[in-house]
Amino acid sequence: MSTTPTAVITGASSGIGAATARSLAASGYRVVLTARRKERIEALAAELTEAGHEAVPYALDVTDRAAVDAFAAFLDGRGPVHVLVNNAGGALGADPVSSADPADWRTMYDVNVLGVLHITQALLPALTASGEGTVVVLSSTAGLATYEGGGGYVAAKHGAHVIAETLRLELCGQPVRIIEIAPGMVKTDEFATTRFRGDQDKAAAVYAGVAEPLTAEDVADTVNWAVTRPPHVNIDLLVVRPRAQASNYKVHRES
Ligand code: 8X3
């Protein structure tokens, strides 16, 4: 059986997930790429394989518990899992609490909270079997503080933050560490566009005048650093923002 460590990345089809997959593959991990969009993860797996890395694509919706259990069964017998990067997530809408659509909140809770719960529960045996497992929860600065219009996303990301905090307590003494990475403003192809349902003007306004928002690669680099610390070192929580952002609502914009 291969001695190459295995890293599973959710939401690996684009943005931070894809960048994290590339980064961990370059660091010698066999990467298992999961996302709903099969063609995208197949293309990324082909790119990584072409570059001499080990990459396995597996189409998966983390909100579907039965599908997550089937994925865990697929991995079973293929060796332990060393790293799980819970990256799948996202925002939908920026409405005030008074008028937000509960359906958006449900969707955000499903992917940002239950998605993390499903796959972390399902892969914990394989992570424990590695003898030095690492669970990364990519939360957000929205998981630590609130802002107007953040409503449902802030609530969901607080949920992801609480999962990380609680798991760290519950797994203390077991060979699995829990790392939470909380990025602030990251400019990716899809985050703001998805949030504003394809409205490019609203999406662009999020980053307007900000000289250098973080990139997906910046966050991937942070994830890579955290997971490649020696196994006894636990980076509990790491907040990463662009220099131009001092808080979710204090952003320097050049006019
Ligand atoms: C993204 C950060 O400020 O859009 O997770 O909520 S923010």
Side-chain angles (χ1 to χ4, degrees):
M1 188 173 294
S2 164
T3 52
T4 308
T6 295
V8 173
I9 300 112
T10 69
S13 52
S14 69
I16 294 170
T20 299
R22 288 191 177 96
S23 178
L24 292 179
S27 291
Y29 285 86
R30 177 175 74 120
V31 289
V32 181
L33 315 172
T34 76
R36 287 174 301 179
R37 291 175 295 183
K38 191 165 178 268
E39 327 72 55
R40 287 206 178 209
I41 50 172
E42 283 178 351
L44 179 54
E47 170 200 314
L48 294 172
T49 304
E50 178 77 13
H53 306 303
E54 286 185 64
V56 180
Y58 189 101
L60 181 65
D61 177 352
V62 291
T63 68
D64 180 342
R65 184 54 193 252
V68 169
D69 288 341
F71 172 58
F74 164 82
L75 288 179
D76 203 24
R78 288 177 168 80
V81 173
H82 299 78
V83 177
L84 165 63
V85 181
N86 281 292
N87 165 72
L92 216 45
D95 308 291
V97 173
S98 57
S99 59
D101 184 346
D104 286 347
W105 283 51
R106 192 168 294 117
T107 300
M108 288 188 280
Y109 192 84
D110 270 349
V111 64
N112 293 293
V113 182
L114 295 180
V116 174
L117 177 70
H118 289 161
I119 195 143
T120 304
Q121 281 184 338
L123 296 194
L124 261 183
L127 286 154
T128 306
S130 76
E132 47 185 58
T134 298
V135 175
V136 177
V137 176
L138 269 159
S139 61
S140 166
T141 49
L144 306 173
T146 190
Y147 58 92
E148 297 99 318
Y153 182 63
V154 166
K157 284 300 191 182
H158 273 68
H161 168 65
V162 167
I163 290 176
E165 296 266 283
T166 310
L167 259 179
R168 199 176 298 117
L169 293 169
E170 292 174 351
L171 296 181
C172 186
Q174 295 188 41
V176 180
R177 60 184 173 175
I178 311 295
I179 295 172
E180 179 181 357
I181 310 277
M185 183 185 283
V186 186
K187 189 174 182 185
T188 61
D189 290 340
E190 296 184 334
F191 177 80
T193 309
T194 302
R195 178 172 220 167
F196 295 108
R197 298 180 169 82
D199 186 325
Q200 299 297 339
D201 291 342
K202 283 187 180 171
V206 172
Y207 312 105
V210 181
E212 288 178 290
L214 295 180
T215 64
E217 288 71 28
D218 292 326
V219 180
D221 191 38
T222 305
V223 173
N224 186 312
W225 176 80
V227 305
T228 55
R229 294 313 86 208
H232 69 287
V233 177
N234 197 70
I235 307 299
D236 277 13
L237 169 64
L238 200 156
V239 176
V240 52
R241 299 181 190 271
R243 192 175 57 198
Q245 185 186 39
S247 81
N248 285 47
Y249 39 82
K250 170 85 177 170
V251 178
H252 178 70
R253 297 182 193 272
E254 290 164 9
S255 47

